Amino acid sequence: MEEQSKKVIFSGIQPSGNLTIGNYLGALKNWVKLQDEYDCYYCVVDLHAITVKQEPKDLRRRTLEILAIYIAAGIDPEKNTMFIQSHVSAHSEASWLLTCNSYVGELSRMTQYKDKSSKYGNSTSISAGLLNYPVLMAADILLYQTDLVPVGLDQKQHLELARNIAERFNNAYSPTFKIPDPYIPKEGSKIMDLQEPLKKMSKSSDNPNSYILLMDPPEVIKKKISRAVTDSLGIVKYSDEQPGVKNLMTILNTLTGETFEDIEKKYEGQGYAKFKEDVGIAIVNELEPIQNKVKKLLEDKEYLEKIYKAGAEKASYVANKTLRKMQKKIGFIPVAR
Ligand code: AMP
Ligand code: TRP
């Protein structure tokens, strides 16, 4: 009974590359905080990952690794539903139904589509999946009658689209979907690239010094932070004029809870060396225990399998209920039983 009254959370991460500290601070760390208050569905969105080419064996490895990271980061498998997107076929099915209620115009206006497709040159080599991707994301969310979607800032536009698609469907037929709200953290919603701090940190960057991976060894983390681009002012100050320093301060703040004022005072008159060293240490302190747990979990494939199997069963039950409603309203004849 209690479960029913809890509000619903849905979120996911793509197994399209190794996770960065941006994914962790912008999304995952908040999922952990929300798990007691909400009925949470945390998904490894493998269907999303294939919008760009994936090596099958890497995709398999990363999918399990992300599930292990969810658990190691503190998401309790007893309390939450964790599953692999392709195990719940309702996502693909609902996505088609919603695709027919979406417009090419609105999809091609998405910033992420414009960025990613410009990398691939002319439209003959851009997969249609890249364009349709936000519809699949809408299906993910709407199938669970989700109240809240914890994501980083880059997903805000996709979430607005999901709301529009839901409202359009509700108006065209009759109320079917709950309209979800974004949950974007105040700090950490956009961790920046360590080499080009005006750009978002991304796992798809070509320069490994521009990101910290969740699984980077401690020495590598410390080295990358010591090489992070700052400026020649030599003052630890939270200011738009110092994007590199601002980003490192944000990382420190989200990890240790120290306020920007405290950080400014602590490093006054000291240049950047000690500050960077402490940022490196804070990241290592947070990530090292998680990394150790991930390694242990990956040795126990049976345990992981148990979790994603139970997760897919629970998720399928809920998702299929919404899918049936959609099919019925659209005018499909129910499957004879
Ligand atoms: P993705 O890696 O694109 O599947 O993203 C997974 C989650 O991490 C989403 O909620 C993103 O908004 C979030 N995210 C990705 N990169 C960053 C970043 N640099 N800063 C904060 N959040 C991020
Ligand atoms: N599109 C998201 C990203 O790239 C991942 C994602 C897929 C997602 N489906 C979702 C996030 C549903 C939240 C809810 O970051």
Side-chain angles (χ1 to χ4, degrees):
M1 276 318 274
E2 199 210 344
E3 282 288 293
Q4 298 237 314
S5 59
K6 279 189 179 174
K7 289 196 166 181
V8 175
I9 278 190
F10 186 100
S11 199
I13 297 181
Q14 303 189 44
S16 55
N18 295 313
L19 294 206
T20 71
I21 194 166
N23 298 124
Y24 180 70
L25 296 176
L28 198 47
K29 200 169 158 63
N30 298 303
W31 300 3
V32 179
K33 286 187 206 150
L34 295 164
Q35 64 179 331
D36 291 323
E37 242 182 282
Y38 293 85
D39 183 13
C40 302
Y41 294 83
Y42 293 130
C43 185
V44 184
V45 289
D46 54 352
L47 297 171
H48 277 87
I50 62 165
T51 51
V52 296
K53 212 152 201 58
Q54 300 293 331
E55 189 63 47
K57 82 175 186 324
D58 292 340
L59 182 61
R60 268 191 290 273
R61 177 183 60 76
R62 287 199 201 109
T63 301
L64 277 191
E65 188 176 273
I66 292 189
L67 182 72
I69 288 174
Y70 287 0
I71 302 165
I75 295 169
D76 182 349
E78 301 286 326
K79 285 192 218 150
N80 303 278
T81 309
M82 281 182 267
F83 67 104
I84 297 169
Q85 190 185 25
S86 62
H87 293 180
V88 179
S89 59
H91 289 249
S92 303
E93 296 178 64
S95 175
W96 174 251
L97 305 184
L98 295 179
T99 295
C100 297
N101 283 281
S102 308
Y103 301 114
V104 173
E106 61 188 352
L107 296 176
S108 51
R109 276 198 297 277
M110 294 290 114
T111 311
Q112 197 177 60
Y113 171 73
K114 287 196 276 189
D115 287 352
K116 286 201 177 175
S117 58
S118 68
K119 276 197 198 155
Y120 295 100
N122 67 34
S123 60
T124 50
S125 55
I126 299 166
S127 89
L130 207 56
L131 179 69
N132 282 328
Y133 152 118
V135 183
L136 177 59
M137 178 163 163
D140 297 342
I141 296 166
L142 301 177
L143 279 172
Y144 297 89
Q145 305 295 344
T146 300
D147 294 281
L148 210 58
V149 185
V151 281
L153 194 59
D154 60 337
Q155 296 302 316
K156 192 168 175 232
Q157 198 184 31
H158 292 155
L159 215 75
E160 273 156 19
L161 183 78
R163 289 166 60 95
N164 290 343
I165 293 175
E167 271 164 7
R168 189 179 302 146
F169 194 99
N170 285 351
N171 290 336
Y173 301 98
S174 61
T176 310
F177 302 123
K178 216 176 227 173
I179 309 297
D181 283 313
Y183 176 94
I184 295 168
K186 212 168 135 252
E187 301 301 341
S189 68
K190 194 171 182 186
I191 300 297
M192 309 308 276
D193 185 299
L194 298 176
Q195 295 302 313
E196 295 175 65
L198 294 174
K199 263 178 39 185
K200 183 189 82 162
M201 182 185 286
S202 163
K203 55 195 172 194
S204 55
S205 163
D206 299 328
N207 179 358
N209 277 325
S210 65
Y211 51 70
I212 304 275
L213 296 179
L214 218 70
M215 297 303 285
D216 269 344
E219 347 40 283
V220 174
I221 294 178
K222 290 180 183 164
K223 201 178 275 164
K224 285 183 178 177
I225 293 293
S226 74
R227 289 184 183 156
V229 167
T230 47
D231 50 63
S232 54
L233 295 174
I235 309 163
V236 176
K237 187 161 174 259
Y238 190 79
S239 141
D240 287 340
E241 263 114 74
Q242 297 174 257
V245 171
K246 185 177 168 191
N247 189 38
L248 294 179
M249 286 177 79
T250 301
I251 294 175
L252 195 58
N253 161 267
T254 51
L255 289 172
T256 65
E258 287 171 275
T259 64
F260 298 127
E261 247 178 27
D262 289 345
I263 299 172
E264 285 173 0
K265 268 199 209 117
K266 191 163 159 192
Y267 299 100
E268 208 174 322
Q270 296 188 44
Y272 296 142
K274 177 76 170 70
F275 166 61
K276 282 181 159 182
E277 193 185 316
D278 288 352
V279 175
I281 292 171
I283 299 175
V284 169
N285 285 345
E286 178 95 2
L287 295 189
E288 212 175 15
I290 297 179
Q291 295 176 347
N292 293 335
K293 279 189 213 150
V294 170
K295 285 175 199 150
K296 276 219 185 81
L297 285 164
L298 286 172
E299 284 165 14
D300 193 351
K301 298 276 182 328
E302 257 174 58
Y303 175 68
L304 293 176
E305 194 178 302
K306 226 171 71 190
I307 290 171
Y308 67 67
K309 182 165 179 265
E313 274 167 20
K314 163 129 194 256
S316 292
Y317 177 77
V318 178
N320 280 323
K321 270 210 301 211
T322 304
L323 178 65
R324 299 246 163 71
K325 266 199 219 165
M326 294 168 72
Q327 292 167 329
K328 197 167 154 213
K329 292 187 188 202
I330 287 173
F332 292 169
I333 292 184
V335 176
R337 284 176 202 282

